[in-house]
Amino acid sequence: MDLSDAQWRKSTRSNGGGGACVEVADNLFGVVVVRDSKDPSGPVLAFGPATWRAFVARVVHRP
């Protein structure tokens, strides 16, 4: 997967103290990728857009 055009943004829920931070790139066609901001050259998780939207909706509306 070519991530050279990925526009990474840090989660608004990330810890500002350099702790548990994730970055998301959702500008790529057909995929949303997530990585650990402390290890930008490390592994990424890839999701289809519909799966990502369902995940975010569930997290935002959790009881």
Side-chain angles (χ1 to χ4, degrees):
M1 176 182 319
D2 180 16
L3 300 178
S4 60
D5 291 330
Q7 295 175 1
W8 296 98
R9 59 184 171 79
K10 191 173 285 189
S11 168
T12 58
R13 298 286 189 172
S14 289
N15 176 345
C21 300
V22 296
E23 294 178 317
V24 177
D26 57 3
N27 67 301
L28 304 171
F29 180 76
V31 67
V32 176
V33 287
V34 180
R35 70 180 181 186
D36 181 345
S37 65
K38 296 178 302 304
D39 187 13
S41 62
V44 300
L45 298 174
F47 301 92
T51 302
W52 180 251
R53 284 191 302 273
F55 169 74
V56 170
R58 180 68 178 142
V59 170
V60 169
H61 298 293
R62 66 185 173 143

